Amino acid sequence: MTWLDFFCHPLWVVSTALLAAVVRLQRRPRWDPRTCDVRLTGKTAIVTGANTGIGKFIALDFARRGARVILACRSETRGTAALHEIRAKTGNLDVHLRLVDLSCMDSVREFAGRILKEEKALHILVNNAGVSGLPKEITKDGFEASFATNHLGPFLLTNLLLDLMKSSSPSRIVTVSSVNHKKGEVDFSHFHGENLVYCMDQVYNHTKLHNIICTNELARRIKETGITANSVHPGVVMTEVLRHYPRWIRWSFNIIGFFFFKSPEEGAVSPIYCAVAEELEGVTGKYFHSDCSLVLPAPLARDAALAVKDFEVCERLTSKL
């Protein structure tokens, strides 16, 4: 029997489908956005990376709840397509596209400047955009490209919008991280592309650890302002995040994922929970799992002294630009 014969055998197909069904039942979140009647009428939300995957479904949910939604996207073509789709599906015409390249600090500053000029309030910021598997590349700002896109860009954006969020409080900041942060390490030379191993998702894992560390420190600093800041793992999701990986890896991921991984709509559930659930009012500096449960992140992510240092390093790096 060849491998092809094995994978096409009815017994294998049925067994795999049944196992996948069991896995899906076990990972069902304890919270369902479809049964949550929270309205966001009169609220303004920004979702980065909202043209595809998890980000698009987060934006779609906010639009259905009546929010003014700003899609923060790098591609105008894909962002415009998402804009039209969300408006058509929700009937909410108060959905808008604003372009930003999170890997470029000038672009982040320009985007934030436009938001501060045009928007009177900001109640929800979802830092969702992210990349994985990028080859080694240093941006014009001198940062490693994955670190710029996944961490330093969102870090700068969040800090530039803080005053607007304070004046709009209660407000929520939600940072989409990953359970992979547990495999990450903290080495500040990584920000400039030094001492990194470009193998599979190792660089991505480091950036996701920094996400949680700095979100926790931000939560501590803004505790009395009416803004909450939490990070969340969306689950293992079938998105385009692997588009920079070799074809054979993407093919394997898609085959396995068809049976066992979450759809982008399912992956959006835990970030939406952090952004709108009434029970999280005032909850800050926490990390949530993909089933919407509150869990402890890795020990490094709970190191208060490291958090202060990490935040200060990121402030220095981004303030120079």
Side-chain angles (χ1 to χ4, degrees):
M1 178 183 290
T2 66
W3 281 108
L4 182 60
D5 292 333
F6 174 77
F7 285 117
C8 292
H9 194 281
L11 182 60
W12 186 90
V13 173
V14 172
S15 300
T16 303
L18 288 174
L19 178 59
V22 172
V23 171
R24 285 180 178 274
L25 284 173
Q26 290 180 337
R27 70 160 187 242
R28 290 174 70 177
R30 63 181 186 85
W31 183 85
D32 189 340
R34 295 170 297 182
T35 61
C36 174
D37 59 3
V38 170
R39 297 293 299 169
L40 297 177
T41 306
K43 306 290 187 181
T44 299
I46 294 177
V47 183
T48 66
N51 61 281
T52 188
I54 295 172
K56 185 168 73 173
F57 282 100
I58 295 172
L60 186 68
D61 179 271
F62 292 170
R64 283 179 174 148
R65 298 178 190 276
R68 173 178 173 83
V69 184
I70 298 171
L71 314 180
C73 306
R74 185 175 59 177
S75 168
E76 183 171 10
T77 300
R78 301 180 72 185
T80 300
L83 171 71
H84 293 321
E85 179 183 344
I86 293 172
R87 284 181 174 179
K89 287 184 175 180
T90 65
N92 185 345
L93 300 182
D94 201 6
V95 181
H96 308 274
L97 173 66
R98 299 290 181 264
L99 299 180
V100 61
D101 179 354
L102 291 169
S103 71
C104 174
M105 301 304 117
D106 284 343
S107 178
V108 172
R109 290 187 180 279
E110 182 179 345
F111 172 87
R114 183 174 179 182
I115 294 298
L116 295 176
K117 181 179 179 181
E118 296 178 347
E119 303 299 327
K120 296 180 180 179
L122 178 59
H123 304 91
I124 301 173
L125 171 62
V126 181
N127 290 312
N128 161 75
V131 294
S132 181
L134 284 180
K136 184 173 182 178
E137 178 186 349
I138 303 300
T139 69
K140 70 175 185 178
D141 300 310
F143 301 140
E144 198 281 332
S146 294
F147 273 86
T149 304
N150 292 0
H151 182 64
L152 291 172
F155 176 91
L156 176 60
L157 176 63
T158 300
N159 281 278
L160 291 174
L161 297 178
L162 272 183
D163 285 343
L164 181 59
M165 299 195 76
K166 288 177 183 177
S167 66
S168 311
S169 64
S171 306
R172 300 189 188 189
I173 298 167
V174 179
T175 297
V176 178
S177 183
S178 171
V179 71
N180 278 22
H181 79 275
K182 295 180 179 180
K183 297 186 288 184
E185 300 173 356
V186 174
D187 180 336
F188 297 123
S189 70
H190 288 169
F191 289 130
H192 298 291
E194 301 169 6
N195 301 313
L196 282 170
V197 176
Y198 288 83
C199 177
M200 298 296 288
D201 55 2
Q202 287 192 33
V203 176
Y204 172 83
N205 299 340
H206 302 326
T207 67
K208 295 291 106 176
L209 176 58
H210 283 282
N211 284 167
I212 299 176
I213 291 173
C214 286
T215 298
N216 289 348
E217 175 60 14
L218 175 65
R220 186 187 68 81
R221 294 184 178 210
I222 61 175
K223 191 171 184 179
E224 306 301 325
T225 65
I227 308 174
T228 60
N230 295 297
S231 48
V232 59
H233 168 53
V236 182
V237 184
M238 296 284 291
T239 70
E240 297 181 12
V241 72
L242 296 185
R243 60 186 176 274
H244 301 290
Y245 282 72
R247 182 175 298 178
W248 71 269
I249 293 179
R250 285 183 279 127
W251 182 86
S252 301
F253 182 87
N254 289 335
I255 291 294
I256 298 172
F258 177 80
F259 292 101
F260 298 106
F261 298 161
K262 288 188 174 185
S263 67
E265 185 173 10
E266 291 172 324
V269 171
S270 50
I272 294 170
Y273 171 72
C274 290
V276 307
E278 292 179 318
E279 63 199 73
L280 293 189
E281 188 68 41
V283 176
T284 190
K286 305 300 183 182
Y287 169 69
F288 292 85
H289 194 56
S290 59
D291 63 357
C292 301
S293 62
L294 178 61
V295 296
L296 286 175
L300 279 176
R302 308 196 303 270
D303 186 325
L306 177 62
V308 172
K309 184 175 181 180
D310 196 352
F311 201 94
E312 290 177 347
V313 168
C314 293
E315 279 187 317
R316 289 198 300 271
L317 290 175
T318 55
S319 67
K320 295 178 181 178
L321 305 170

